[in-house]
Amino acid sequence: MTIHLATLAAIVGMALATYATRVAGLFLMRHVNVKGRTKAAFDALPPAILMAVIAPTILATGIAETIAAGVTAASAFLRLPMIVTVLIGMASVVLLRMII
């Protein structure tokens, strides 16, 4: 397998752009004291972004994935540890795909 120079340059460029955005966020926010409603908003961002990425897959793939997402959400609602919730989600989607 050969890697073309343009492909390698694109990969390196995307890696640098990703790294730059992460470092820029840390650099710009290092002296900002976040509290109150702003802190609550920042704390809500990771789950909101995760749902924005996962929701189209849940609703567009099939009934097994939709049901498995519900089972996983129920386990998360019960405040189970993250690894247990992930394992429940993986097991439920595998089992439901075998059944359905």
Side-chain angles (χ1 to χ4, degrees):
M1 181 169 109
T2 61
I3 296 180
H4 294 88
L5 184 59
T7 304
L8 183 61
I11 292 170
V12 170
M14 288 184 277
L16 289 173
T18 301
Y19 182 73
T21 56
R22 290 175 184 257
V23 170
L26 294 173
F27 178 74
L28 292 172
M29 294 297 290
R30 69 180 172 186
H31 296 298
V32 177
N33 188 9
V34 181
K35 56 186 171 190
R37 292 181 65 171
T38 305
K39 180 166 177 25
F42 281 152
D43 289 342
L45 275 177
I49 293 170
L50 186 61
M51 283 310 300
V53 171
I54 292 174
T57 303
I58 292 171
L59 300 174
T61 51
I63 190 70
E65 290 80 5
T66 305
I67 295 170
V71 170
T72 306
S75 67
F77 183 73
L78 294 173
R79 301 276 188 187
L80 295 176
M82 178 66 81
I83 189 69
V84 174
T85 302
V86 170
L87 290 173
I88 288 172
M90 289 174 17
S92 62
V93 78
V94 168
L95 291 172
L96 287 166
R97 282 181 179 174
M98 288 174 31
I99 294 170
I100 297 177

